[in-house]
Amino acid sequence: MAFDIDMIKKVYDQVAERVNAARELTGTPLTLAEKILYSHLWDGNATSVFTRGKDYVDFAPDRIACQDATAQMALLQFMQAGKDKVAVPTTVHCDHLIQAKVGAEKDLKSAMSSSSEVFDFLESVSNKYGIGFWKPGAGIIHQVVLENYAFPGGMMIGTDSHTVNAGGLGMVAIGVGGADAVDVMAGMPWELKFPKLIGVKLTGKLSGWTAPKDVILKVAEILTVKGGTGAIVEYFGPGATAMSCTGKGTICNMGAEIGATTSTFGYDESMERYLRATDRADVADAANAVKEHLTGDDEVYANPEQYFDQVIEINLSELGPLLNGPFTPDLSTTVGSAMTEKAKANDWPLKVEWGLIGSCTNSSYEDLSRASSIAQQAIDKGLKMKSELGINPGSEQVRYTAERDGLLQIFEKLDAKIFTNACGPCIGQWARYSDPKNAPKNSIVHSFNRNFAKRADGNPNTHAFVASPELTAAIAISGRLDFNPLKDALINEDGQEVMFDEPTGWELPPKGFEVEDAGYLAPLADGSGVDIKVAPDSERLELLTPFEPWDGKNITGAKLLIKAFGKCTTDHISMAGPWLRYRGHLDNISNNCLIGAVNAYNKKTNFVKNQLNSEYGGVPDTQREYKAAGIPTIVVGDHNYGEGSSREHAAMEPRHLGVRAVIVKSFARIHETNLKKQGMLGLTFANEDDYDLIQEDDTFNFLDLDQFAPEKQLTLEIVHADGSKHEIKLNHTYNAPQIEWFKEGSALNLIKKQNA
């Protein structure tokens, strides 16, 4: 039986009325995304038509999911909200704080020892406030959500950018910062700019070496890392319905890599099969009763150009296996000779040192079965591994079932390392090197979602390429980045030329899923007696002090902390890896603030000019000196600033250290919202060329911040070191409530004030 079945049935009981009200109001057929959005309005039935990409709308999500790294700060904030219990079903999943090193058993034991303080804190807070708790080793948040909580037509938010994975089960699932989650936990509406809609029509059928992963790798090539910004991507067509539910999840998962608000598929038979296989026949039965409301209207899919803002069509029968990378998930290359040419032209190492299979993107039973079919062929055909191989099962249920069916043993025969059911290398939790900064240039292939520099192992010289699990397995066995399993032969131990047959696998385990201990702990019915302790001398956890409200005056005399050059993701602003240790301690983790951003003036990282003494030093150290001197600062950035993870630490750290404004050419959606929530000014150049005006020794004065209002530009005076000045215009997307967040010092301050 499903978790929260009464909540799910309530959603289905009202979906027909709400969808019909929206359809009557708009006077047009509706996409699936529109049906879910309009059926989750905070105020109930729609009374007005919303303009895509413009109107801010209040929604009522059905549930929340948090992973352990971001849950710490989210729950620390929720503890200040003055509530006895979360207002909607919420779960915490311990998957980020487990480092991959030697193998599952020892790695989990090590994590339980080194992070026990954090796990105990999360468990106690969950118990106190009615939150479901998934223990370390239970699995990766998004795979666990897909197996247990996702349901067609639902809306959920999660404190991780890959929350979008649940779109594989027909949800609108959106990654948010912890402050957004706190709003919903506290019973407040959740605000989102009504998204634009991108339709992706899938024709044909996947076969051979082509996998669902290749669909999203192709979409990433077409749309690039920012092409989906502000939009929901909705997949439809015969190619979509022919795909497995977990395959759909893979595609939705990597929608985060094109900046999409989320991605989704309409309810179909593959979703029903998955629901029943994961012991949720009750959800499948309830969904079947309203299934016409859990997919887009026929007229929409018949004439998509009339109803979507953009339409892409991909013939799956013509799609081949792809490798995307390095250093960005949208650089796509067809396997084989095209990679040979591109690698030689760009000096990418052709020798592959590691293949990694898993992460929230590709760790389902189907993924492991298809990859294991390639591994079994290597054994049968007498091939030796030329690279190392690592496996992260997506959940304890997947791991237990895969072990029962002999899949993991196949990998072990090739000396693969079976890591814990956790994120591991995908989020930098990989003890690959003792000194990653000075590690050698190399290439790896993985089935993960992100491949930014230093993302997996901390080594800036690691060239990471994204591929399907089966292609990852084949390339790891061959040891060559340009190996094409469709055409290329390998030499086995007997000196014979052999070729791989096409991968095979199971959509669902033939014997059904099985697990002894899934790792779930239900909260106490009454948690009022639970005592939450945070040691005052802890280096891992720190109770929060509210940010100071705005004084109502123009910010003047501000200095430049850093002008970031080029790509500046949340990994650059607040690194993961070893820094995950401090995710619950704002002051300590602030020592990584912007240390990965490239300084536009010297092209170095963590090396900026301190205008107090004209000396150069680390970004956090320099900013702490400005703060101690009472001097406000700004950060300047390029396009798509803050892309990547939803981590709100990337907004909280500069706020904590005294940065007042972030001014960029464009923002990634989640990061812009996080800045707003923390009482920061997130602004964009009205004229992008003004980025070039900013000089290292400049001083900045806001001339009309005291007139801060929706849709009204702000004026910034730039005073150069020689006394010359420029006035530039800055755009913003703050609406009236968001301006109140700024005035109060943060959104949380406003919530506390309203609950007082």
Side-chain angles (χ1 to χ4, degrees):
M1 183 174 175
F3 288 94
D4 309 306
I5 186 62
D6 290 337
M7 176 270 286
I8 295 171
K9 287 181 177 179
K10 182 181 177 183
V11 172
Y12 289 163
D13 286 344
Q14 65 190 22
V15 68
E17 179 186 344
R18 294 194 170 189
V19 167
N20 288 333
R23 191 185 288 115
E24 184 176 344
L25 195 67
T26 61
T28 65
L30 298 177
T31 64
L32 169 63
E34 288 174 308
K35 289 181 180 182
I36 298 176
L37 293 170
Y38 276 109
S39 64
H40 284 83
L41 296 176
W42 179 259
D43 293 326
N45 287 357
T47 57
S48 61
V49 178
F50 300 110
T51 303
R52 300 175 190 173
K54 182 178 180 181
D55 290 339
Y56 283 92
V57 182
D58 285 341
F59 292 100
D62 300 313
R63 64 175 313 108
I64 298 168
C66 309
Q67 41 94 334
D68 49 353
T70 53
Q72 295 171 64
M73 195 57 68
L75 295 182
L76 284 164
Q77 291 178 88
F78 180 73
M79 287 167 63
Q80 296 188 57
K83 296 290 185 178
D84 296 328
K85 197 170 186 177
V86 290
V88 302
T90 302
T91 52
V92 166
H93 304 256
C94 297
D95 62 355
H96 273 55
L97 300 180
I98 304 168
Q99 189 177 54
K101 188 173 184 179
V102 296
E105 186 176 348
K106 290 184 178 179
D107 291 347
L108 181 58
K109 189 177 293 185
S110 176
M112 294 296 286
S113 173
S114 63
S115 294
S116 60
E117 177 186 12
V118 173
F119 295 143
D120 290 346
F121 167 76
L122 294 174
E123 184 179 342
S124 63
V125 176
S126 297
N127 234 345
K128 185 175 184 66
Y129 294 109
I131 298 169
F133 183 75
W134 290 81
K135 297 183 294 184
I140 304 172
I141 174 173
H142 310 303
Q143 180 65 28
V144 173
V145 165
L146 198 71
E147 292 175 14
N148 294 276
Y149 299 112
F151 66 97
M155 173 184 276
M156 71 174 288
I157 59 172
T159 60
D160 187 282
S161 54
H162 293 105
T163 299
V164 295
N165 189 80
L169 245 177
M171 293 195 88
V172 161
I174 300 175
V176 299
D180 275 359
V182 170
D183 284 357
V184 180
M185 289 181 199
M188 308 282 283
W190 173 62
E191 185 185 64
L192 176 73
K193 185 184 288 185
F194 204 81
K196 293 183 179 180
L197 302 176
I198 298 174
V200 180
K201 183 178 182 180
L202 302 179
T203 61
K205 190 175 182 179
L206 294 172
S207 63
W209 284 91
T210 311
K213 184 75 160 207
D214 297 304
V215 177
I216 185 57
L217 295 182
K218 185 65 177 178
V219 171
E221 177 189 24
I222 295 168
L223 289 177
T224 77
V225 292
K226 59 182 181 179
T229 302
I232 292 179
V233 181
E234 185 170 327
Y235 293 84
F236 62 95
T241 54
M243 203 179 295
S244 69
C245 179
T246 51
K248 292 177 172 72
T250 292
I251 292 171
C252 292
N253 182 292
M254 271 196 72
E257 273 48 76
I258 57 171
T261 301
T262 192
S263 304
T264 194
F265 285 76
Y267 179 60
D268 61 19
E269 292 179 1
S270 71
M271 295 184 190
E272 180 181 356
R273 290 193 297 271
Y274 188 75
L275 287 169
R276 295 190 188 282
T278 51
D279 198 27
R280 289 177 288 173
D282 46 357
V283 178
D285 291 340
N288 285 343
V290 293
K291 62 183 178 182
E292 69 271 24
H293 302 302
L294 305 180
T295 189
D297 288 334
D298 291 342
E299 301 95 316
V300 169
Y301 295 159
N303 301 287
E305 290 81 5
Q306 296 180 25
Y307 304 104
F308 291 99
D309 298 292
Q310 182 179 356
V311 177
I312 297 167
E313 184 168 339
I314 298 174
N315 185 341
L316 302 184
S317 300
E318 298 175 355
L319 185 66
L322 298 171
L323 273 169
N324 281 29
F327 307 129
T328 186
D330 59 353
L331 179 58
S332 191
T333 306
T334 304
V335 295
S337 58
M339 177 59 76
T340 308
E341 296 172 10
K342 198 177 286 188
K344 288 181 178 178
N346 292 281
D347 197 26
W348 300 339
L350 282 170
K351 182 179 183 294
V352 173
E353 295 195 359
W354 271 88
L356 296 157
I357 296 169
S359 90
C360 61
T361 324
N362 280 104
S363 56
S364 67
Y365 185 91
E366 180 182 32
D367 291 324
L368 294 183
S369 71
R370 286 179 64 84
S372 71
S373 78
I374 302 303
Q376 184 64 57
Q377 287 186 57
I379 296 168
D380 296 341
K381 295 174 188 285
L383 293 169
K384 274 195 168 182
M385 289 288 303
K386 297 294 179 63
S387 310
E388 302 227 38
L389 185 63
I391 310 291
N392 282 85
S395 69
E396 175 58 15
Q397 178 167 266
V398 165
R399 187 210 65 80
Y400 188 95
T401 306
E403 184 175 59
R404 179 202 68 189
D405 295 346
L407 302 186
L408 297 186
Q409 292 88 325
I410 296 170
F411 294 120
E412 288 172 334
K413 287 178 183 176
L414 292 176
D415 294 325
K417 287 186 178 179
I418 310 299
F419 294 126
T420 314
N421 314 320
C423 302
C426 183
I427 50 116
Q429 284 284 47
W430 187 19
R432 184 184 180 192
Y433 299 111
S434 57
D435 183 16
K437 290 182 180 178
N438 296 305
K441 186 175 181 178
N442 73 104
S443 288
I444 65 173
V445 177
H446 60 57
S447 70
F448 305 161
N449 40 46
R450 292 200 172 131
N451 57 352
F452 303 138
K454 300 189 280 188
R455 170 80 179 185
D457 58 13
N459 177 7
N461 298 309
T462 292
H463 293 56
F465 295 83
V466 183
S468 68
E470 48 268 53
L471 184 60
T472 297
I475 288 177
I477 292 165
S478 75
R480 291 276 301 183
L481 187 64
D482 57 352
F483 174 67
N484 182 355
L486 288 80
K487 297 180 179 179
D488 298 343
L490 297 172
I491 306 298
N492 70 7
E493 292 179 278
D494 298 325
Q496 300 169 323
E497 280 195 355
V498 297
M499 289 186 67
F500 285 115
D501 301 318
E502 292 178 351
T504 59
W506 292 274
E507 176 185 348
L508 296 163
K511 300 177 185 176
F513 283 108
E514 190 176 347
V515 67
E516 286 186 348
D517 178 9
Y520 175 71
L521 294 177
L524 293 172
D526 180 5
S528 58
V530 175
D531 187 23
I532 300 170
K533 295 181 180 178
V534 174
D537 60 346
S538 172
E539 65 170 22
R540 300 288 300 273
L541 296 164
E542 177 188 49
L543 296 176
L544 293 175
T545 300
F547 292 133
E548 290 293 322
W550 178 48
D551 62 7
K553 300 177 182 177
N554 283 318
I555 298 170
T556 58
K559 301 298 183 181
L560 177 70
L561 174 60
I562 186 172
K563 179 179 176 179
F565 174 78
K567 186 183 285 283
C568 190
T569 72
T570 49
D571 278 346
H572 296 100
I573 304 168
S574 175
M575 289 183 177
W579 288 97
L580 288 172
R581 176 177 181 80
Y582 303 112
R583 282 285 180 87
H585 197 296
L586 182 56
D587 193 57
N588 283 348
I589 199 170
S590 292
N591 288 323
N592 79 3
C593 183
L594 285 156
I595 64 174
V598 176
N599 183 350
Y601 303 107
N602 54 28
K603 302 302 186 289
K604 294 181 179 181
T605 58
N606 202 27
F607 199 63
V608 296
K609 186 173 184 179
N610 184 334
Q611 292 194 48
L612 297 176
N613 53 27
S614 296
E615 296 179 356
Y616 284 82
V619 179
D621 295 335
T622 301
Q623 179 55 36
R624 287 185 188 276
E625 290 192 32
Y626 285 135
K627 183 178 181 180
I631 296 174
T633 55
I634 70 166
V635 168
V636 172
D638 212 316
H639 277 299
N640 212 26
Y641 183 89
E643 72 173 278
S645 167
S646 69
R647 70 192 66 153
E648 65 192 311
H649 298 76
M652 294 187 78
E653 290 174 30
R655 176 74 167 106
H656 170 69
L657 293 177
V659 175
R660 303 297 297 277
V662 179
I663 306 170
V664 300
K665 293 180 182 178
S666 65
F667 282 109
R669 175 190 62 84
I670 298 175
H671 186 63
E672 181 182 22
T673 301
N674 285 345
L675 290 171
K676 293 178 179 181
K677 288 276 183 177
Q678 301 305 333
M680 293 273 279
L681 288 172
L683 309 169
T684 56
F685 293 105
N687 177 2
E688 290 183 4
D689 292 340
D690 288 343
Y691 170 91
D692 299 321
L693 290 176
I694 309 298
Q695 299 175 18
E696 195 171 27
D697 297 318
D698 286 345
T699 300
F700 305 90
N701 301 310
F702 285 87
L703 303 183
D704 49 10
L705 184 59
D706 54 353
Q707 301 164 43
F708 195 14
E711 300 184 16
K712 182 180 184 297
Q713 289 182 323
L714 292 174
T715 307
L716 182 70
E717 181 185 62
I718 307 170
V719 183
H720 303 301
D722 63 3
S724 61
K725 299 179 181 180
H726 283 97
E727 278 190 17
I728 65 172
K729 293 295 183 180
L730 303 174
N731 294 333
H732 67 83
T733 60
Y734 289 75
N735 58 22
Q738 292 171 345
I739 290 174
E740 291 303 309
W741 300 343
F742 172 73
K743 291 179 178 179
E744 293 294 334
S746 70
L748 182 59
N749 286 356
L750 185 61
I751 290 175
K752 289 174 64 178
K753 188 175 182 180
Q754 292 169 341
N755 287 333

